[in-house]
Amino acid sequence: MSVESQDLNLCANDNRGQLQLGAGSGLVGWDEVTQGTVLTSFEGDATGIANKKAEERLYSDFNSYTASVASWRVNKPVFNRDICIDCQNCWVWCPDSSILSRDKQMLGIDYDHCKGCEVCVEVCPTNPKSLLMFNEHADLDESLAAWPEKKKKAKKSEEA
Amino acid sequence: MAITSIKNLKEFSTNNDRFEGAHTLCPGCAHSMIVRELMNCTDDNLVISSNTGCLEVSTAVYPFTSWDTSWIHIGFENAATSVTAAQVMHKVRKKKGTLKDNDAPVKFVAFGGDGSTFDIGFQWLSGAMERGHDFTYICLDNENYANTGGQRSSATPVGAHTSTAQAGTHSYGKKQKKKDIVSIMAAHGSPYVAQLAPNKWKSMAKGFQKALEVEGPCFINTVSPCCTEWKFDPKDTINLTDLATDSLMFPIYEIIDSHELNILYRPKNIISVEEYMAAQGRYKHLFKPQYRHIIDEVQKDIDAKWDLLQRREEARL
Ligand SMILES: Cc1ncc(C[n+]2csc(CCOP(=O)(O)OP(=O)(O)O)c2C)c(N)n1
Ligand code: SF4
Ligand code: SF4
Ligand code: SF4
Ligand SMILES: [Mg+2]
């Protein structure tokens, strides 16, 4: 059975996107922090963290991974697994670490961290593209149903 | 050191990100593409320091950090200073055997924007290079002080409009040429300096790995297209980087031990500087009749520089 992005259960903790200064989080204000203060990225020992996948890590509330920038988006990229060739172009160039790739397979998009820049769509080499932009509120099935057909390359003579 | 495989993108993509999302860099910002590549090309522990600039302020919005490594928040000009201090401390404690894990490999990296690297932090960078610490300095060159609203820096190229070198009836934007930071750093006697670009992900990852591996102070200038200040659509960041490398505005090369220059990318079809400029709002005014000659002047300069690079590669001096 292949892994799907929803199987990863990437919501690292319940505070995701809600940890806001002044919202009862019990933190001192930014102007009260003294020099030499350390904010830890993980709970407990972080040894070997480079070899742990996101879903295996214990992120602390200070890690921006527990926050969301979903509200930045107007349009969102939608992923069509049927066309994808797992080239990983989208993975290497996503500026927001939002392409979920596991074991050389592209699984989907992390919509908590994606800002909708459309870079992944631009660098996707398939025809038609395996990633396309849709309105933030578009339904997944409807988006997939509206996927365009393979584009024929324009012939030289037609161009002239 | 634990180098991760970069044979092909599929292999590379099995790495686990140590640079997290929900930072506040603009959508499509190349800074984070470059940082992600650096952090994905090694499994070693990393100690990183950043000069003030877009990268620093966007990845440390209190109370959040986007760094899954030790990361030092410091003043505008001090990343090279602070990270080399940490490197010396690590060396001493390793010798004394007082580290938690004495054998864990650690690499020391500093990030700076072009403003802090070419101008305001230049003296501190030069000092750290001269002292010969084992660290890697990476400049994220977006050719302006982006974080404070797009002022000109000594990395801004001729003809670009910036908020302090404005284009108008009597001005075509910046008049002075871009500083040749790569040669300046090579002249410090560095074992490895390079200019790399995120669209050429493989040469960039290879260069990063070399710099981390080589002992001594290494310097890498990376092209970091800034959609906000260069004025292009965020989706085109990689397309624009392609234009930058293929027009030779940003040639990709390395210099080993101050003299062994290798060109790492030769475009099959070299495009004109005009085509590169036409894709960005910051050069819009150059397409008016009274300023068109500036485009020709820049093209001449870029041709001459490419010629010189090739001759240096041949001569090995
Ligand atoms: C000594 C000092 N001078 C000026 C500033 C204000 N400042 C903060 S970020 C910034 C611009 C940074 O430009 P650059 O280094 O090119 O990085 P970018 O934001 O473009 O990535 C400036 C001028 C400062 N923080 N400290
Ligand atoms: S739209 Fe941008 S942020 Fe979202 S997944 Fe694609 S490249 Fe990443
Ligand atoms: S760029 Fe397109 S084809 Fe390649 S992995 Fe991403 S979605 Fe799949
Ligand atoms: S202003 Fe430019 S460098 Fe700064 S975050 Fe935005 S795109 Fe990136
Ligand atoms: Mg800059």
Side-chain angles (χ1 to χ4, degrees), chain A residues 41 59 64 91 93 115 122, chain B residues 20-21 25 36 65 67 239:
Chain A
S41 309
Y59 288 105
S64 71
W91 174 82
W93 286 310
K115 292 179 189 144
E122 272 301 305
Chain B
E20 300 294 353
L25 291 162
R36 278 190 64 226
T65 169
W67 303 84
N239 299 333

Side-chain angles (χ1 to χ4, degrees), chain A residues 19 28 41 50-53 57 59 61-65 86 88-89 91 93-97 115 117 122, chain B residues 9-10 12 16-17 19-23 25 32-33 36 62-68 198-199 235 239:
Chain A
L19 199 148
V28 296
S41 309
N51 298 312
K52 284 200 179 115
K53 296 181 168 66
R57 294 174 176 171
Y59 288 105
D61 286 351
F62 296 126
N63 199 308
S64 71
Y65 182 84
D86 292 311
Q88 304 299 342
N89 276 2
W91 174 82
W93 286 310
C94 172
D96 292 282
S97 318
K115 292 179 189 144
C117 69
E122 272 301 305
Chain B
L9 259 189
K10 284 193 186 204
F12 197 22
N16 307 306
D17 265 296
F19 184 68
E20 300 294 353
H23 52 69
L25 291 162
S32 43
M33 299 179 183
R36 278 190 64 226
Y62 184 75
F64 292 119
T65 169
S66 302
W67 303 84
D68 293 350
N199 60 329
K235 75 174 173 31
N239 299 333

Side-chain angles (χ1 to χ4, degrees), chain A residues 90-116:
Chain A
C90 54
W91 174 82
V92 78
W93 286 310
C94 172
D96 292 282
S97 318
S98 296
I99 298 294
L100 302 172
S101 288
R102 297 290 183 273
D103 305 323
K104 304 182 187 175
Q105 262 200 350
M106 153 63 165
L107 300 181
I109 292 138
D110 172 355
Y111 287 118
D112 288 320
H113 299 137
C114 164
K115 292 179 189 144

Side-chain angles (χ1 to χ4, degrees), chain B residues 218-232:
Chain B
C218 301
F219 176 88
I220 294 175
N221 195 50
T222 59
V223 190
S224 189
C226 164
C227 40
T228 304
E229 296 300 340
W230 296 16
K231 298 183 175 54
F232 63 87

